Amino acid sequence: RLIEHLITVHNKRRIAFMRGPVNQEDSYWREMGYREALDAYGISYDSELILRGEFEREIAYQEMTGFLNNGGPEFDAVFTGDDDSAIGVINALQEAGYRIPEEISIAGFDDLRLSAFLTPPLTTVNAPTEVVGCTAARQLFDLLSGKEVDTITLLSTEIVIRRSCGCFA
């Protein structure tokens, strides 16, 4: 839904994606959501807009800096797989002279406590991390006691709109 917001509300069509670790499940589902949203709006997937963030601020910063220095393809927004990577992207873009959100919109995932205090405040997805931990622990205990558990558990999330996407700018 966050990619849909960037597309429908802010008319973004060249959305870069800062992915997390390749073999990590959260990273996989976030990338699938990104791809599905592009497809739903007839926007072609461009592998050159996929960057490696690894859910790490410094790696995301270095990746975005390298992308900008190497003349990567034009983009008008960045969706990061987590807020920590978004911080690295924001730093790299601001150091390169880009104005967020006037020139490039940024959106993250996790809704870290500090996300509301960034400059600009980060649009993100609030994921119920405490519920994730409790659910995982409950499933582990059920599994250890011989009960059958779901192989996939999807929990609801909520978009938190702040200035970095272009709203309230």
Side-chain angles (χ1 to χ4, degrees), residues 76-96:
D76 53 14
V78 181
F79 171 59
T80 64
D82 74 319
D83 288 0
D84 204 39
S85 294
I87 294 168
V89 168
I90 289 169
N91 289 339
L93 289 171
Q94 288 175 337
E95 282 182 12

Side-chain angles (χ1 to χ4, degrees), residues 86-150:
I87 294 168
V89 168
I90 289 169
N91 289 339
L93 289 171
Q94 288 175 337
E95 282 182 12
Y98 288 94
R99 294 176 305 128
I100 302 166
E102 294 82 5
E103 295 176 286
I104 297 177
S105 295
I106 308 290
F109 199 104
D110 287 332
D111 195 22
L112 296 177
R113 285 189 176 135
L114 66 94
S115 297
F117 302 99
L118 297 174
T119 303
L122 182 64
T123 295
T124 186
V125 175
N126 181 289
T129 52
E130 287 183 26
V131 176
V132 170
C134 291
T135 302
R138 187 179 67 247
Q139 287 182 334
L140 177 61
F141 288 128
D142 286 349
L143 190 62
L144 291 172
S145 66
K147 295 179 184 175
E148 198 170 306
V149 297
D150 294 329

Side-chain angles (χ1 to χ4, degrees), residues 17-32 50-57 59-60 80-85 110:
F17 176 65
M18 183 69 64
R19 71 164 38 128
V22 173
N23 294 318
Q24 208 257 19
E25 192 169 355
D26 286 342
S27 178
Y28 170 80
W29 287 112
R30 291 168 195 176
E31 185 168 349
M32 288 303 99
I50 307 302
L51 306 172
R52 183 182 67 89
E54 301 296 319
F55 293 164
E56 297 285 339
R57 182 179 314 174
I59 292 172
T80 64
D82 74 319
D83 288 0
D84 204 39
S85 294
D110 287 332

Side-chain angles (χ1 to χ4, degrees), residues 7-59:
I7 295 168
T8 61
V9 175
H10 301 289
N11 199 32
K12 302 301 180 179
R13 295 292 181 270
R14 301 286 298 160
I15 304 168
F17 176 65
M18 183 69 64
R19 71 164 38 128
V22 173
N23 294 318
Q24 208 257 19
E25 192 169 355
D26 286 342
S27 178
Y28 170 80
W29 287 112
R30 291 168 195 176
E31 185 168 349
M32 288 303 99
Y34 165 81
R35 288 176 178 234
E36 288 172 8
L38 293 180
D39 187 54
Y41 287 90
I43 299 171
S44 297
Y45 172 81
D46 183 349
S47 63
E48 290 186 31
L49 290 175
I50 307 302
L51 306 172
R52 183 182 67 89
E54 301 296 319
F55 293 164
E56 297 285 339
R57 182 179 314 174
E58 188 59 32
I59 292 172

